Amino acid sequence: MKRLWNDLSYFLKNKIYMAVVCLTALFSYGFAMTHPSIGIDDTCIGLYFEEGLAPAVGRWVLYLINKIISLDMFLPWMTEVVAVAIFVLSVTLWCVLFRRLSKREISIWGYAIFASLFLSCPLISEVFVFYLHNGICLAYGLTALSILAMLDALEEGRVRYLLIASVLLTIALGCYESFMIVYLVGLLMAFMVVRIGGERVKRCVLFYVPATVLVAVVFRAVIVRVLQWMFGFAIPEDFTVTARGVVDTLTGNGMDLAMVLKRFWVMYYLNGFCYLPITVWVISIVAMIAYAIFKTIRKRDVFIGLAAIFIPIAPLAIVLIEGLPTHYRASQYVPLVGAFVAFLIFYEIAVVGRDKLRRVLSGVAIVLGLVLLWNQSADMNKWFYVDYLKYEDTKQVMAQIAYDLEKEHDTSKPIIFKGAYMVPYEIAKDAYLPFYSPKYQIMKRIADAVDPHLLEKYNAEDGRGYVFAETPVASTFRWGVTAFDGTPRELQAFWNMHGYDFKIEKDLEIIDGAYDVLDQIPPYPQAGYIYETEENIIIHVSNQ
């Protein structure tokens, strides 16, 4: 513990490191911290923490923390500030990890650029807008600590360190199951750095790693079962959500494997033409593999190249288990890979023999790193602004509906929502790539060689272009109409959070029956979009 504190202090007491990382945190997350929005997940806090849906699907850590400190309410600003502070500490733990692995004296600027690029990756905006950010800020640090404990187990050969590694990984998986991939990718990076440094890795790692993973998976399953026994929560039978664990998803969802892999390729490689975090990911993968091949030839160590190749392969594990391409909000390995390549650049600069050349190369690397850092922070701000505009639009529409209901209808009747209100194009246009753009034409030519209809699956429903981002176009309205159990319970919760109190229809047969008259009801905001019957009120909310 003392060693860990000393390693952390090296960074936390360094003015250059803290200045760069804290400014990055401010630039990247300042808007989100000061402009709270209510969207998907924010309306169902009680469902997650009071009724226990979060631990029922395997995400039990925040549920237990809520037993100590209050998280079961909407806490704008507070949760964002605390999360960013934890995130800064987490990326610093990754710096500690790579500093221990490196036998070279790397510039503090190298670690600052690594941590800042990690912190500011715009793909994080896809998950950060969800309530409590799915615990990723905490889980990143826990994963780094787990790998550090694994290294201690290898160095000292003590089983207790292996157990600590498993416990830490268990907690990380209890935040978000996607951190199994982060753990595997982190281990591959650690192995790669060790081999580049000319050191051997003990053969017992072939036992330690699978043992740690297996124990963590079992621990997680046991913890969920124990908590279910203690608190009596379960996933309601009428809910569409499922448990998020390896054992629970091994059967997949029956989707065609070839199509899953093709869609994964589009999302995580082809979208590099238009989506900045994927652009950085693709360039990083190419640069890392090229660097590893060079080191493999020079050091005659094939394991360096294999480690680099398996880093982009590792994410396919969760794809094969779930039977669907991983959502961007669950791709926590992407920020780590981009930052790692920046670390490798400074890692190599550190051994340049000539002082003057080393200073020049370091200066160039710092400038390029800061340029990328600026662009990532700017992109992050853009997506947080889009999320805020989405919230303002939803709030305005719901307020207008409430006004029209109270003015002209009997609000004692239960309400049925029908239709698909999408995020307006004017708000989400930055997530669209026009069909006439040169980038799309290049992507289309490449994709057509694989499958002529592949890119069509990502075309916007309104026909305005190709959609390359996910969360920015995710409509709170569309989700809230049927979320969880097929009823508009989450739209009712949204209203409640803004001071309105309306009843909703909970009988699914009656809700489904509303389709019979939907063609007769014009969509919002046209006159007559609210249709009142003797038993209920049907609201047609659609902008398609």
Side-chain angles (χ1 to χ4, degrees), residues 247-266:
V247 177
D248 303 287
T249 55
L250 273 174
T251 56
N253 63 359
M255 191 174 182
D256 178 61
L257 179 59
M259 179 55 66
V260 170
L261 294 176
K262 285 189 286 188
R263 296 187 72 155
F264 180 86
W265 170 68
V266 169

Side-chain angles (χ1 to χ4, degrees), residues 476-498:
T476 303
F477 248 120
R478 186 169 189 174
W479 167 79
V481 167
T482 59
F484 300 116
D485 61 355
T487 71
R489 53 178 291 163
E490 299 311 320
L491 290 185
Q492 181 187 37
F494 187 93
W495 256 334
N496 293 343
M497 293 177 74
H498 292 85

Side-chain angles (χ1 to χ4, degrees), residues 339-519:
F340 177 65
V341 171
F343 166 80
L344 290 177
I345 292 171
F346 285 94
Y347 182 81
E348 285 301 311
I349 291 174
V351 293
V352 174
R354 296 167 58 185
D355 290 344
K356 186 174 181 179
L357 178 59
R358 185 168 63 250
R359 287 196 295 269
V360 171
L361 291 175
S362 182
V364 172
I366 291 170
V367 170
L368 293 177
L370 292 176
V371 169
L372 178 56
L373 185 56
W374 175 275
N375 289 335
Q376 286 198 164
S377 297
D379 211 47
M380 185 87 86
N381 266 279
K382 176 179 70 179
W383 298 124
F384 284 142
Y385 181 57
V386 168
D387 182 70
Y388 179 72
L389 292 180
K390 284 169 52 180
Y391 165 56
E392 289 295 309
D393 178 69
T394 305
K395 183 172 65 173
Q396 179 181 345
V397 172
M398 290 295 280
Q400 183 62 53
I401 293 173
Y403 174 80
D404 292 341
L405 280 171
E406 292 174 335
K407 181 181 178 182
E408 302 175 359
H409 299 275
D410 180 4
T411 56
S412 65
K413 296 178 181 179
I415 295 169
I416 298 172
F417 278 94
K418 284 296 180 182
Y421 185 89
M422 308 298 293
V423 177
Y425 174 78
E426 291 72 20
I427 291 175
K429 63 181 181 299
D430 287 331
Y432 288 66
L433 190 64
F435 295 133
Y436 58 79
S437 68
K439 289 181 181 179
Y440 179 79
Q441 296 302 320
I442 294 173
M443 292 172 63
K444 187 75 167 63
R445 284 196 293 271
I446 296 173
D448 284 353
V450 177
D451 184 335
H453 303 290
L454 187 56
L455 283 197
E456 295 175 5
K457 303 180 187 307
Y458 296 93
N459 289 348
E461 293 183 31
D462 59 9
R464 296 205 184 198
Y466 170 85
V467 180
F468 56 83
E470 291 184 323
T471 305
V473 298
S475 168
T476 303
F477 248 120
R478 186 169 189 174
W479 167 79
V481 167
T482 59
F484 300 116
D485 61 355
T487 71
R489 53 178 291 163
E490 299 311 320
L491 290 185
Q492 181 187 37
F494 187 93
W495 256 334
N496 293 343
M497 293 177 74
H498 292 85
Y500 299 101
D501 185 20
F502 298 106
K503 290 190 289 186
I504 63 163
E505 181 60 66
K506 297 182 180 180
D507 189 318
L508 290 178
E509 290 188 8
I510 296 176
I511 292 174
D512 291 339
Y515 281 111
D516 297 337
V517 295
L518 196 61
D519 291 340

Side-chain angles (χ1 to χ4, degrees), residues 68-292:
I68 304 171
I69 58 175
S70 297
L71 297 176
D72 55 351
M73 63 185 76
F74 185 60
L75 298 170
W77 189 78
M78 283 180 62
T79 50
E80 276 69 34
V81 171
V82 172
V84 172
I86 293 173
F87 203 175
V88 169
L89 180 61
S90 292
V91 297
T92 305
L93 285 169
W94 283 92
C95 290
V96 169
L97 170 63
F98 288 119
R99 184 166 180 257
R100 283 192 187 179
L101 293 169
S102 174
K103 304 303 179 183
R104 307 173 184 179
E105 194 58 40
I106 299 173
S107 164
I108 193 64
W109 276 99
Y111 291 109
I113 295 295
F114 164 83
S116 298
L117 290 178
F118 194 158
L119 192 66
S120 64
C121 177
L123 204 68
I124 295 170
S125 68
E126 294 258 7
V127 67
F128 203 82
V129 297
F130 290 87
Y131 188 66
L132 295 180
H133 329 107
N134 285 351
I136 67 163
C137 300
L138 177 62
Y140 270 126
L142 291 166
T143 308
L145 286 173
S146 179
I147 297 175
L148 285 167
M150 170 67 74
L151 295 179
D152 289 339
L154 290 171
E155 289 177 8
E156 302 186 22
R158 295 185 180 180
V159 177
R160 69 185 180 96
Y161 287 121
L162 195 62
L163 182 60
I164 291 172
S166 296
V167 170
L168 290 167
L169 179 59
T170 301
I171 301 172
L173 297 179
C175 292
Y176 211 15
E177 59 280 351
S178 59
F179 276 88
M180 181 63 79
I181 303 300
V182 179
Y183 179 75
L184 296 176
V185 167
L187 282 175
L188 288 168
M189 290 175 176
F191 179 80
M192 184 175 170
V193 172
V194 169
R195 299 293 294 199
I196 291 172
E199 295 185 35
R200 297 293 175 182
V201 178
K202 294 181 180 179
R203 289 185 178 180
C204 60
V205 73
L206 297 176
F207 164 75
Y208 280 9
V209 171
T212 303
V213 170
L214 179 61
V215 171
V217 170
V218 172
F219 276 6
R220 182 175 185 259
V222 170
I223 289 171
V224 171
R225 298 298 183 271
V226 170
L227 291 177
Q228 284 178 327
W229 172 74
M230 290 175 61
F231 299 105
F233 55 73
I235 301 175
E237 293 183 0
D238 56 346
F239 273 31
T240 57
V241 298
T242 58
R244 306 291 296 172
V246 174
V247 177
D248 303 287
T249 55
L250 273 174
T251 56
N253 63 359
M255 191 174 182
D256 178 61
L257 179 59
M259 179 55 66
V260 170
L261 294 176
K262 285 189 286 188
R263 296 187 72 155
F264 180 86
W265 170 68
V266 169
M267 291 177 62
Y268 290 92
Y269 290 92
L270 199 58
N271 277 357
F273 282 102
C274 54
Y275 198 13
L276 178 61
I278 304 304
T279 304
V280 174
W281 154 261
V282 172
I283 293 174
S284 298
I285 291 296
V286 172
M288 181 178 60
I289 292 177
Y291 169 80

